[in-house]
Amino acid sequence: MVAVGGQVVLMNLPGSDDAAPYEVRDARSGDVLWTFEPLKNSDGDVESSSVALDPEGSTVYLLLSSGEMAAQNAATGDTKWSYKFAEPRSGEPLPSLAFADGVVCVTDRATVRAVASDDGSELWTVPLDDTPVGAVLIGRMLLVQTTSHLYAVGLDEERVVWQKRAELSWQYPAGGIVFVTSHDTFTDTGKRVTQALDIDDGAVRWSDPSAPHAVLAERNLVAYADGDGKLLRTRSLDTGKKLYEKAIPAYDEFVSTLVGDVLVEPTRSGEKKSLVGIGLDDGTVRWRKPHGDIKAPDGRWPYGKVLVADSTGKSLRALDPTTGETRWTVTPDDKRSVLEVAQVGKNLLFVSTGESSKEDSTVERLYCLELLDA
């Protein structure tokens, strides 16, 4: 794992998946600022742990199986404070974290805890009726997915504002709406319906039985492919009104995402694979390029470019999303594959390289590129 924020880079080092050591580097120089080695309990066993970097890059948060969270100064490694979120555990997943202004949201064991980021004091707790499996913060609303429900916890209200029964399925929060597939909403054919819920109050704005995948554009438009990926459907984000439906190349695997108003997706025709850019204004294919591994960290495109690793995995090219033209190509490491990319500031791009397989990947080197045309 490589996380970038502010002026630092957090990087996991080789070790156990449950308790990997990590180091923090200066983003500009690459110098190691400090290194953390896994802790051992009273029996001499290594404690399971996970680590996260806040978006500003000021604090590293270490979660331990002993039930403690430590906030470390990202520049020095000094512990600012610690917070006890649970009793010691063994074999259980560690909490998920979300960061808001002055607040760290800790979601764990059917409870959401709000902790002050400056001193680690507990601000409030909200109990849930089910076990959380993930959480994402949208504005001041924390959406918590459990094994059977979706909860919206308001940071200002300090309570569950609304909840819906929802299966573990595709969810796309954006534009004030979250798309979910619910257990208790079926069509006459028995297929589940995808609902567009208002993030603020959970009200159903509209629903569609043919929307298993939703991709949100910036101009009040929702686009998604049908089940076999051969038809692009578009709807009004606010009302669900049909805008147009158009045949598109069948996708090879659903990793489609948006760059501005262009839908980028890998496609397959027989044994031939390619990468296409589809304009959402009319659903036409604007460009087609050789297939590659799309690099879009957290669904975002660094500097508005489509970053794609070539078939060897060693070269990274940046495509213009409107025309598909190659703006630049770089091979940071001719012996190792490109694994992850991350944007920092106005013109820095971090690229990690190493060994990659279907099961796992190991980061071996980290490169910082300065982009002149970013």
Side-chain angles (χ1 to χ4, degrees):
M1 182 201 77
V2 176
V4 182
Q7 299 300 312
V8 301
V9 181
L10 170 67
M11 181 175 174
N12 275 6
L13 300 174
S16 167
D17 292 338
D18 295 330
Y22 57 87
E23 64 184 16
V24 178
R25 293 175 177 262
D26 182 273
R28 171 74 57 174
S29 68
D31 295 338
V32 176
L33 300 177
W34 54 279
T35 302
F36 175 83
E37 293 292 335
L39 301 176
K40 293 184 179 181
N41 58 28
S42 57
D43 296 328
D45 298 324
V46 173
E47 279 198 57
S48 297
S49 62
S50 65
V51 64
L53 178 67
D54 71 344
E56 290 75 28
S58 63
T59 306
V60 174
Y61 291 91
L62 174 66
L63 295 164
L64 298 168
S65 58
S66 61
E68 291 190 9
M69 176 174 69
Q72 301 168 303
N73 186 304
T76 65
D78 296 336
T79 299
K80 299 180 180 181
W81 50 260
S82 63
Y83 169 74
K84 185 76 172 179
F85 60 83
E87 293 303 313
R89 66 187 64 200
S90 177
E92 293 184 42
L94 290 166
S96 62
L97 301 182
F99 304 100
D101 184 23
V103 180
V104 182
C105 297
V106 184
T107 304
D108 177 59
R109 286 182 173 175
T111 303
V112 176
R113 296 174 171 83
V115 180
S117 59
D118 57 354
D119 61 9
S121 59
E122 185 176 271
L123 303 175
W124 47 264
T125 65
V126 172
L128 306 176
D129 297 327
D130 205 352
T131 303
V133 295
V136 60
L137 186 66
I138 308 296
R140 300 287 292 178
M141 194 73 75
L142 183 70
L143 299 180
V144 182
Q145 175 70 68
T146 70
T147 53
S148 62
H149 286 79
L150 179 66
Y151 293 87
V153 178
L155 270 60
D156 297 323
E157 294 83 355
E158 301 180 6
R159 61 179 175 83
V160 174
V161 177
W162 57 267
Q163 69 183 70
K164 295 286 184 180
R165 185 167 178 80
E167 68 173 356
L168 296 179
S169 183
W170 300 91
Q171 295 179 15
Y172 297 89
I177 288 179
V178 57
F179 291 86
V180 301
T181 303
S182 301
H183 279 297
D184 52 0
T185 52
F186 291 84
T187 64
D188 293 337
T189 62
K191 294 182 179 180
R192 292 187 175 97
V193 175
T194 295
Q195 296 181 322
L197 307 181
D198 189 294
I199 287 181
D200 292 331
D201 59 14
V204 180
R205 289 196 186 178
W206 53 273
S207 62
D208 192 330
S210 60
H213 307 300
V215 180
L216 306 185
E218 299 177 356
R219 50 185 182 83
N220 194 32
L221 179 147
V222 183
Y224 47 87
D226 64 358
D228 56 5
K230 296 180 181 179
L231 186 67
L232 182 67
R233 305 174 187 270
T234 56
R235 302 286 186 268
S236 164
L237 179 63
D238 288 333
T239 67
K241 178 183 177 181
K242 292 183 180 180
L243 301 178
Y244 68 80
E245 296 183 353
K246 191 160 186 176
I248 59 172
Y251 56 72
D252 181 43
E253 53 182 316
F254 193 81
V255 292
S256 304
T257 189
L258 284 173
V259 191
D261 63 349
V262 177
L263 179 68
V264 179
E265 67 173 23
T267 65
R268 177 193 293 271
S269 178
E271 296 300 318
K272 185 178 180 180
K273 296 182 179 181
S274 60
L275 197 66
V276 300
I278 301 171
L280 289 184
D281 53 351
D282 57 6
T284 59
V285 175
R286 293 186 181 180
W287 50 264
R288 188 185 299 269
K289 296 295 177 180
H291 185 270
D293 184 11
I294 298 174
K295 301 295 182 181
D298 299 324
R300 298 189 298 269
W301 296 90
Y303 305 107
K305 302 293 191 299
V306 181
L307 299 185
V308 184
D310 66 6
S311 57
T312 69
K314 296 178 174 59
S315 290
L316 187 70
R317 52 194 165 106
L319 306 181
D320 183 289
T322 302
T323 65
E325 295 179 359
T326 300
R327 294 301 185 186
W328 50 262
T329 301
V330 64
T331 305
D333 190 334
D334 59 6
K335 296 182 180 179
R336 299 169 181 84
S337 299
V338 173
L339 300 179
E340 299 177 73
V341 298
Q343 172 184 335
V344 176
K346 296 181 179 180
N347 65 340
L348 296 183
L349 183 71
F350 285 87
V351 180
S352 64
T353 66
E355 298 298 324
S356 178
S357 66
K358 292 183 178 180
E359 293 76 22
D360 197 10
S361 60
T362 302
V363 175
E364 297 180 3
R365 294 195 178 188
L366 183 65
Y367 296 83
C368 178
L369 311 179
E370 187 171 22
L371 306 180
L372 300 180
D373 66 341

